[in-house]
Amino acid sequence: MKSLSAAARRATPLLRSDIPAAVPARRVTGTGSVLSAILDHGPVARSTVARLTGLSPASVTGHVGQLLARGLVRESAETAGPRGLGRPHIPVEIDTGRYLVAGAHIAVAHSTVSLMDLRGRIVAEDRQPHRTTDPHRLLAGLAERLPRLVSARAAERTVLALGVATGHRVAPVAGMIVEHPLLGWRDVPVRDVLSAATGLPVHVDSHSRALARAEQMFGEASTRASMVLLFIGAVVDAAFATEGAMHRGPRSGAGSIAHLPLGAGGSGGAEPCSCGRSGCLQSEVSERAMVRRAAEQGLLVASFRELLDQALAGEVRAVALFRRRAGLVGRAAALLLDMFDPAVLVVVEPGAGRIPECLADLREQVAERSWVCDDPERAVVPSSFTGSVLATAGGAVALGALYADPLGPWPALPAVS
């Protein structure tokens, strides 16, 4: 399904009543702050959690009691104070033995269903090519795959929720994929469909925001101050966060950078884009563009994954394609660094994560083009989840919701007063 061109959208007057009300950013609860501190530092004493969170010792004791009652944390072995003096401490840590979350990532050509423990570790994943791109049939297929994965790999742990991630425009509050042009989807009520099919609470977000949240929880610590995450795959998009809060925009459109103009100077000719222009970021660096350029150079591969395998094996033409891509991604990274001046920019792209020359080329472009970034080695980093990006994305949506509000409506957890 083709969307309107930018020119056509500009020609249609935008009424004030057409703009949805902005949803206030959801604040992490006190219990969520305690749970996050335990995730970061556990096993950790309650007194240390109080210092880390700024909460009173009495408040921390209360929050930890609720988390223990819900089975999200557990007490570990006692530790004595210095030189054996003082009252023994009973540290607490995340309990990974009772619960899991499920994740689903919907890519252009395939989908990945995964299970993740409460420390963000992938327990199992199942990746399958699409048999259809009809949204209701595809979502029904995801729902059918999940019980089989749980039966085989959950080891009697209970699944708390399902997180769903994909590219392009996703509205988390509505639980809806607003628009995914490459799948031909528009206004697909993912949360409602999958909640009915699985019986689980379902949380939905873009894969870029999901992976940015995963970095904040389990990955690159500097992302908690401020960050840009740049996702380069079949879909090209981004996520922006500051002070730990993800920016979505009032129409859930933040991060829509597919048509960021790069031009083609020195890159061997600009690729035509579906928007009618040439030299757009996605048309130049997407997986489809990479496979097409490989064919132009006589390197016949059936898929992007095969092209990546050849590059990792040292095939000269394949490596050159990934290095060219890294240079173009570096141009986009420099622009985003200058626009947002984040503490760190995370690049989710397999070349940057697995081919050292690609990361060096990308940083070189940032050094040459950015006006604000004076240390690309520090400011531009690869994803912490290279090799498990898609399996991580879906689960991170559910875990992000759990860590933000562990006392919220989680039907599988015991009720607490």
Side-chain angles (χ1 to χ4, degrees):
M1 181 184 298
K2 293 184 179 179
S3 60
L4 292 174
S5 68
R9 287 196 297 270
R10 286 195 298 270
T12 303
L14 181 65
L15 304 177
R16 185 178 297 273
S17 59
D18 293 332
I19 304 174
V23 177
R26 189 172 191 176
R27 299 293 181 184
V28 176
T29 64
T31 313
S33 297
V34 169
L35 185 61
S36 294
I38 297 170
L39 172 67
D40 284 346
H41 301 280
V44 61
R46 291 164 175 80
S47 58
T48 303
V49 173
R51 290 196 297 272
L52 291 167
T53 60
L55 298 171
S56 71
S59 293
V60 169
T61 297
H63 291 309
V64 170
Q66 292 177 310
L67 294 170
L68 286 166
R70 300 212 96 173
L72 298 176
V73 303
R74 66 182 183 90
E75 293 181 328
S76 42
E78 291 186 0
T79 59
R83 298 183 181 178
L85 299 177
R87 184 178 178 181
H89 298 289
I90 303 177
V92 288
E93 60 186 338
I94 301 297
D95 190 341
T96 59
R98 299 188 190 191
Y99 302 112
L100 301 170
V101 295
H105 180 271
I106 303 168
V108 174
H110 52 80
S111 58
T112 303
V113 178
S114 61
L115 298 175
M116 178 185 282
D117 73 15
L118 299 193
R119 293 198 63 85
R121 296 176 296 211
I122 301 298
V123 172
E125 64 178 287
D126 171 48
R127 173 173 161 169
Q128 299 289 338
H130 293 327
R131 296 181 179 179
T132 175
T133 56
D134 174 80
H136 291 278
R137 291 172 61 192
L138 193 155
L139 294 175
L142 287 177
E144 291 171 1
R145 288 159 56 190
L146 182 56
R148 295 194 292 269
L149 195 63
V150 171
S151 177
R153 301 296 300 277
E156 299 185 354
R157 286 173 286 187
T158 300
V159 175
L160 295 178
L162 170 63
V164 182
T166 191
H168 289 294
R169 287 181 60 197
V170 181
V173 175
M176 179 178 291
I177 296 175
V178 178
E179 185 177 25
H180 196 307
L182 296 179
L183 287 174
W185 290 13
R186 187 188 293 273
D187 296 338
V188 178
V190 173
R191 181 175 60 205
D192 293 345
V193 171
L194 287 177
S195 293
T198 65
L200 293 170
V202 176
H203 301 268
V204 185
D205 209 342
S206 79
H207 55 206
S208 293
R209 290 192 291 263
L211 289 166
R213 186 72 179 100
E215 292 287 350
Q216 293 173 334
M217 291 190 292
F218 316 113
E220 175 63 41
S222 60
T223 59
R224 296 179 184 182
S226 58
M227 70 177 298
V228 171
L229 183 137
L230 180 54
F231 184 98
I232 308 294
V235 172
V236 175
D237 49 24
F240 316 111
T242 183
E243 296 182 353
M246 216 65 59
H247 177 67
R248 296 197 295 261
R251 288 163 291 277
S252 301
S256 300
I257 61 167
H259 301 290
L260 189 71
L262 289 183
S267 67
E271 293 284 341
C273 182
S274 59
C275 70
R277 296 187 293 265
S278 62
C280 293
L281 178 60
Q282 183 164 284
S283 66
E284 287 284 339
V285 303
S286 70
E287 293 179 358
R288 182 179 300 177
M290 290 284 284
V291 172
R292 183 168 60 245
R293 282 192 174 270
E296 290 171 355
Q297 297 186 18
L299 187 59
L300 300 179
V301 292
S303 66
F304 176 81
R305 175 175 280 191
E306 185 178 332
L307 179 62
L308 175 61
D309 288 342
Q310 293 206 22
L312 294 174
E315 210 287 334
V316 174
R317 291 169 295 176
V319 171
L321 285 171
F322 275 92
R323 293 190 67 175
R324 173 189 178 275
R325 185 196 213 195
L328 293 173
V329 172
R331 295 188 193 182
L335 290 170
L336 294 172
L337 284 163
D338 287 356
M339 289 172 64
F340 295 97
D341 190 20
V344 65
L345 183 144
V346 178
V347 181
V348 182
E349 192 275 326
R354 302 177 70 178
I355 303 172
E357 297 90 342
C358 289
L359 184 58
D361 290 344
L362 196 158
R363 286 170 169 166
E364 182 180 346
Q365 284 294 312
V366 168
E368 179 181 328
R369 293 172 179 272
S370 173
W371 291 92
V372 303
C373 180
D374 56 5
D375 187 0
E377 295 284 331
R378 175 195 57 79
V380 180
V381 300
S383 169
S384 300
F385 311 103
T386 298
S388 61
V389 164
L390 303 186
T392 297
V397 177
L399 275 189
L402 176 66
Y403 275 89
D405 191 11
L407 301 185
W410 301 92
L413 294 178
V416 293
S417 56

